[in-house]
Each structure stands twice: as C-alpha cells, then as structure tokens.
Amino acid sequence: MINKVLDFVAYLKAKPGFYSVEDNLDETLDFSEKAFNFIASETKEDFIYKWDREITDEDLKWLRISSLKLDWELTLENIYLYGGFKNWGFSDALAFPPQPDYKSIACEHEFFNEEEKRFLKEETNLFCKSAHGMGDGTYGIFHRTKEKYPFDILYLDNGRFFKTNFNLDSYYQAMIDSMAVCGWQYFYLNFEEIKTKCGDFKVGYWLLYPYTEGLIESPLGRNITRKTSRLDAVFHHMEVCVYLLPKIFPDKDFSYHKQRLEDFKIFLNK
C-alpha cells in the first residue's frame, strides 16, 4: 500500500494541463533505510511506554511516508474543485500526545460539547489532514485506547466525528480511489450517521468556499449558502464529485461513487 500511495502522488504530479499540484514526493523517496530503522526503533520504545504493548510491523511501515503531502486544484466547466492530503507523522500519531494545533481545534469549533472536547484532547490524535491545507478542519484520526489496538479510525469534519470501518490500508485505498478529493470520506460513511450529525448543523468552510459568494457560476453550485444545512451541502458536494471526477480523470473508475450517491439519494427520500 505504501507503493500505491507513492504511485498515486506520482500519477497526479505528472498530469498535464489545468492541474495545479504541490507535493514532496522526491523528498519522501529520499527517506533512507537507515533513517527508517532509527525512527522505527524509537517508535517501538515510545509505543511500549505509552500503551504497554508492542506496535505491529503493519503500523511501522507507515513511518516511511510520515511526511508525504499532496495538494491539487483545478477549475473545470467553471467549477472549482480541490483535493490532497498531508500525513502528520505516524510516530506522533501512534505514540505521542496530540499536538497543540490539533488540540486547539476544540477551541476553534464551538460545536463541541465538553465531553467531545475531552475526547478530542485525551483519546484521539490525527494521522492525516485532508485536502489542500486550507485549515478546513478535516482529518483522519486514531481513537487511541489501551484496550483496543490496532486503533479505530475516525473522520473529523469541523466539529463532527464519524465512525469508519477503515484500517490504514483501506483508508488510503479509498482515498486513492477517490483521487483524494475534498470530502471523499463521505462516500464511505454510514448514511444514518451522516443524516443524524449533519441534518441540522452549520455548513463547513470546505463545503461553502467553492460554491457560493460569486466564486463560481455553475448551476451545480449556486444554492449553497452559510444558512445551508451541512447535510444538504454534503449531498450537493457528492453530486459535484460524481459529475466532475470522471471528466477530470477519464481513465479512472468512479462507479462506486456514483452508486453511493444514488443510494444516499434513495435513503434521504424515504
């Protein structure tokens, strides 16, 4: 899977034309075996100290791409779309306390109640920031406890946690299959949970930014405002992705995403 992630970044980096892409692929590929072995050894010790158990080789392999990042953006048919990811350091994510800038999310989002703030600060840590580095508050995070390892993976989007069925391999495979488009995780979440947690909730910035305030004129994006529920905005964004991704990446298969959108529409109309 590590090679698949690296190949994915190389694929996007090589795309011609209207793409704007930033990455650190070359720097990541220069990560030496000596450096990996040193960090792996340190992480093993830190993990035993923190969790009183040994880390798996499956988790250690992710240290090879701990700092890998990718940003892409484009405008097609007058619609702006972007994607990408930034790995936040798997050694930190697995074995160290949350970073101050991650813990500060609780203060930035008034949507968290006190228990959610405690949960964020004490039981989670991020391993991957989603899409474009715009401060959009979307993360892949570990729910870290001594009782359960490997850790569960959650999706955090601007004040709402979502359960997933991902392990690290399937998380990154789904990201690749979705071209790391912003908000790709919603195609893999439980519909009932999306509806419950987004139905009466403020739209997130990443959902609002491309689709309103005169930034684009596409009929696909004229009806999202700051008063739109996040549920409506998420569904609309999924429509945009299903419409645009096959046009942007005609060599890729998005039949899964199309079917999930249809199933979500049926679910919402029950």
Side-chain angles (χ1 to χ4, degrees), residues 100-244:
D101 50 350
Y102 174 62
K103 291 193 291 185
S104 71
I105 297 170
C107 301
E108 295 170 3
H109 291 291
E110 67 275 20
F111 316 119
F112 285 128
N113 59 38
E114 291 303 314
E115 170 55 24
E116 288 169 333
K117 290 180 182 180
R118 183 207 63 78
F119 176 76
L120 178 82
K121 294 178 180 180
E122 297 179 10
E123 297 188 33
T124 74
N125 205 358
L126 76 156
F127 64 86
C128 185
K129 182 177 181 180
S130 300
H132 208 62
M134 290 176 63
D136 53 18
T138 63
Y139 301 92
I141 63 177
F142 291 128
H143 180 202
R144 309 187 309 174
T145 68
K146 287 187 176 181
E147 292 73 27
K148 187 172 184 179
Y149 176 72
F151 302 132
D152 289 338
I153 290 177
L154 307 178
Y155 174 54
L156 171 60
D157 178 11
N158 286 277
R160 285 292 183 264
F161 299 99
F162 296 90
K163 298 177 183 178
T164 80
N165 294 320
F166 292 130
N167 57 31
L168 281 172
D169 276 24
S170 60
Y171 182 91
Y172 280 90
Q173 183 63 63
M175 183 189 76
I176 292 170
D177 293 342
S178 307
M179 307 312 295
V181 69
C182 55
W184 64 264
Q185 292 90 340
Y186 280 104
F187 285 97
Y188 298 85
L189 300 179
N190 176 270
F191 292 155
E192 186 63 48
E193 188 174 20
I194 298 174
K195 181 179 179 181
T196 300
K197 293 186 175 180
C198 295
D200 187 21
F201 195 64
K202 183 180 179 181
V203 63
Y205 179 72
W206 72 264
L207 287 162
L208 180 69
Y209 171 71
Y211 305 132
T212 190
E213 299 179 351
L215 292 172
I216 60 173
E217 298 297 329
S218 168
L220 283 171
R222 285 180 174 164
N223 299 320
I224 302 299
T225 73
R226 295 186 184 277
K227 295 182 180 181
T228 302
S229 77
R230 187 176 293 188
L231 178 62
D232 290 341
V234 164
F235 182 79
H236 172 80
H237 180 70
M238 290 170 71
E239 286 185 311
V240 171
C241 291
V242 167
Y243 176 74
L244 274 188

Side-chain angles (χ1 to χ4, degrees), residues 31-70:
F31 186 58
S32 70
E33 197 68 22
K34 182 178 179 180
F36 170 78
N37 289 335
F38 174 79
I39 295 174
S41 177
E42 293 290 307
T43 302
K44 284 181 180 180
E45 293 181 12
D46 293 330
F47 197 86
I48 290 175
Y49 178 79
K50 174 73 174 177
W51 303 111
D52 196 28
R53 66 173 71 203
E54 291 189 358
I55 190 171
T56 65
D57 290 340
E58 279 296 300
D59 276 351
L60 280 175
K61 71 182 183 183
W62 294 96
L63 299 176
R64 296 184 181 278
I65 58 171
S66 279
S67 61
L68 183 62
K69 63 182 179 181
L70 167 74

